[in-house]
Amino acid sequence: MKGIPDHIQDQHLVEDQSFDLEDWLPITASRNANWYYSAFHNVTAIVGAGVLGLPYAMSELGWGPGVVVLILSWVITLYTLWQMIEMHEMFEGRRFDRYHELGQAAFGKKLGLYIIVPLQLLVEISVCIVYMVTGGKSLKNVHDLAVGDDKCTKIRIRHFIMIFASSQFVLSLLKNFNSISGVSLVAAVMSVSYSTIAWVASLRKGATTGSVEYGYKKRTTSVPLDFLSALGEMAFAYAGHNVVLEIQATIPSTPENPSKRPMWKGAVVAYIIVAFCYFPVALVGFQTFGNNVEENILESLTKPKALVIVANMFVVIHLLGSYQVYAMPVFDMIESVMIKKWHFSPTTVLRFTIRWTFVAATMGIAVGLPYYSALLSFFGGFVFAPTTYFIPCIMWLILKKPKRFSLSWCINWFCIILGLLLMIIAPIGGLAKLIYHIQKGTLPNSKCKLPKN
């Protein structure tokens, strides 16, 4: 195979021998998607729990730093997303359908697995955990707004997390990426809907709000740690890179019409929608509530009650689909290992066992650690910064080999340095916030004490 390095060519031949298995695995089972599949899958993957926490992150960063980080994150992540799409089939006759396959091409067969697989698993598992928490919080918001929160001591957030999780046991039975397309499309529409409701309702409230304070406010142990925590919350808002190759794998590709064309078209549409969701919510939400904004912007809104209830239900519906978009690559990875390495038969029983175990595990962790912004900031810095901000740039430098000190070389090194700094400092704030809330024994922004048992 001309142009393909030896270790990549060998990997390709091995995978050809397991072609039937590729037809069974959820990522590669169907390749009939197009650009608008790319658009709504990417919207569903990117716009999630993070958008509702952006005003809170802005309150911890302040106007100037907050706007800079918000815009810079959007630009950098769009650039690294383009890199991932371009590298998906950079060698003729070879498609990197999974993040770790591209990592193996860049770093070597073993080292690529050791670098990418742990990070990607941490990203996808952490997203699913946070979505469990967010889904539960949104259901609780619906309950509190509809019937009042005077029964707070009887119905806890963990009960709502379990209710949200029950739907995931059913949705996890959908066998592959394209089979969740309908769910993902509805989720994408819901994300635009509740984001619009959030900033429009905030704008309306702002017209009647009195004086608002925008100065730094100590929320946990110190203002500097809160600042670092906010960086992780911003990073969490851009998580789509971890499933972008898997989404592109569902698009057919020929030499005349490579998959990168419809994939990039869909990604651009998705990022325009992301900007429409993120910037108004972050800026209008912070403008309206200042440093008194809640971790979830919808918790700061109580009127119009019916509209806020609808927005929270839209969040729940969106997270039902978004959870599956992130869980599907995990299912693919585990099912592949169970069959290839441990020689299990590819049966429905195996598939259901793996998926229900995963849903139960993420639910259990969410029930035990229902701390929204602390989880966002810790995971956002620790695992999202590498896979989103700088690992694509490192792989680009290795595989594309741009000329030293050229514009491409300089941009990639800028992103690498910035991403490394983010990975180092953001988890410090997130961990401090998590420890603070665990020690206090209360849910942030809630009157409810967590049970001691």
Side-chain angles (χ1 to χ4, degrees), residues 130-238:
V130 172
Y131 284 0
M132 284 282 188
V133 174
T134 313
K137 286 175 74 72
S138 296
L139 285 173
K140 188 176 187 303
N141 290 343
V142 171
H143 169 270
D144 292 347
L145 287 167
V147 301
D149 59 358
D150 55 320
K151 297 181 180 179
C152 176
T153 55
K154 294 182 179 179
I155 306 178
R156 305 183 190 279
I157 186 174
R158 56 191 55 188
H159 299 137
F160 290 101
I161 292 173
M162 292 179 193
I163 293 171
F164 177 81
S166 64
S167 63
Q168 296 300 342
F169 283 104
V170 177
L171 290 175
S172 65
L173 302 182
L174 297 173
K175 59 182 182 180
N176 58 50
F177 235 127
N178 279 347
S179 67
I180 64 169
S181 294
V183 178
S184 181
L185 175 59
V186 172
V189 174
M190 293 298 103
S191 66
V192 177
S193 301
Y194 69 71
S195 298
T196 303
I197 291 173
W199 70 262
V200 170
S202 296
L203 192 64
R204 178 184 174 185
K205 184 177 179 64
T208 59
T209 302
S211 60
V212 179
E213 295 182 2
Y214 300 104
Y216 293 108
K217 178 181 178 181
K218 180 180 176 182
R219 298 179 185 275
T220 54
T221 54
S222 70
V223 170
L225 287 176
D226 289 340
F227 187 93
L228 298 181
S229 172
L231 295 176
E233 292 163 27
M234 287 283 192
F236 193 99
Y238 296 92

Side-chain angles (χ1 to χ4, degrees), residues 28-265:
T28 51
S30 177
R31 295 189 190 267
N32 57 5
N34 47 41
W35 72 267
Y36 51 83
Y37 278 67
S38 164
F40 64 71
H41 277 321
N42 275 292
V43 170
T44 301
I46 299 171
V47 183
V51 64
L52 300 174
L54 288 177
Y56 186 81
M58 288 285 295
S59 73
E60 294 177 311
L61 290 171
W63 271 117
V67 171
V68 170
V69 172
L70 189 65
I71 295 174
L72 198 59
S73 295
W74 189 89
V75 172
I76 290 175
T77 56
L78 178 59
Y79 171 69
T80 54
L81 188 70
W82 169 77
Q83 289 181 311
M84 298 285 286
I85 293 170
E86 286 289 317
M87 290 188 288
H88 175 80
E89 46 190 348
M90 62 182 299
F91 300 112
E92 184 180 351
R94 177 70 175 102
R95 297 184 70 174
F96 300 112
D97 293 326
R98 298 166 179 88
Y99 203 139
H100 70 267
E101 293 175 6
L102 183 58
Q104 287 178 295
F107 303 115
K109 192 172 182 180
K110 288 187 177 179
L111 184 60
L113 285 177
Y114 296 153
I115 292 174
I116 301 298
V117 170
L119 285 173
Q120 191 179 16
L121 280 175
L122 280 172
V123 165
E124 288 157 355
I125 292 170
S126 65
V127 168
C128 290
I129 293 169
V130 172
Y131 284 0
M132 284 282 188
V133 174
T134 313
K137 286 175 74 72
S138 296
L139 285 173
K140 188 176 187 303
N141 290 343
V142 171
H143 169 270
D144 292 347
L145 287 167
V147 301
D149 59 358
D150 55 320
K151 297 181 180 179
C152 176
T153 55
K154 294 182 179 179
I155 306 178
R156 305 183 190 279
I157 186 174
R158 56 191 55 188
H159 299 137
F160 290 101
I161 292 173
M162 292 179 193
I163 293 171
F164 177 81
S166 64
S167 63
Q168 296 300 342
F169 283 104
V170 177
L171 290 175
S172 65
L173 302 182
L174 297 173
K175 59 182 182 180
N176 58 50
F177 235 127
N178 279 347
S179 67
I180 64 169
S181 294
V183 178
S184 181
L185 175 59
V186 172
V189 174
M190 293 298 103
S191 66
V192 177
S193 301
Y194 69 71
S195 298
T196 303
I197 291 173
W199 70 262
V200 170
S202 296
L203 192 64
R204 178 184 174 185
K205 184 177 179 64
T208 59
T209 302
S211 60
V212 179
E213 295 182 2
Y214 300 104
Y216 293 108
K217 178 181 178 181
K218 180 180 176 182
R219 298 179 185 275
T220 54
T221 54
S222 70
V223 170
L225 287 176
D226 289 340
F227 187 93
L228 298 181
S229 172
L231 295 176
E233 292 163 27
M234 287 283 192
F236 193 99
Y238 296 92
H241 297 59
N242 296 279
V243 293
V244 66
L245 294 180
E246 286 79 357
I247 293 172
Q248 192 169 351
T250 66
I251 300 176
S253 184
T254 63
E256 297 77 23
N257 187 26
S259 64
K260 66 181 180 181
R261 292 177 186 171
M263 183 65 189
W264 176 240
K265 181 179 178 180

Side-chain angles (χ1 to χ4, degrees), residues 1-6 8-9 12 90-94:
M1 294 183 187
K2 186 177 179 180
I4 306 180
D6 291 340
I8 303 175
Q9 183 171 332
H12 180 61
M90 62 182 299
F91 300 112
E92 184 180 351
R94 177 70 175 102

Side-chain angles (χ1 to χ4, degrees), residues 397 401-414:
L397 291 175
K401 298 178 174 60
K403 186 177 180 181
R404 196 174 185 184
F405 300 117
S406 64
L407 180 61
S408 174
W409 188 90
C410 292
I411 291 174
N412 280 287
W413 273 108
F414 172 78

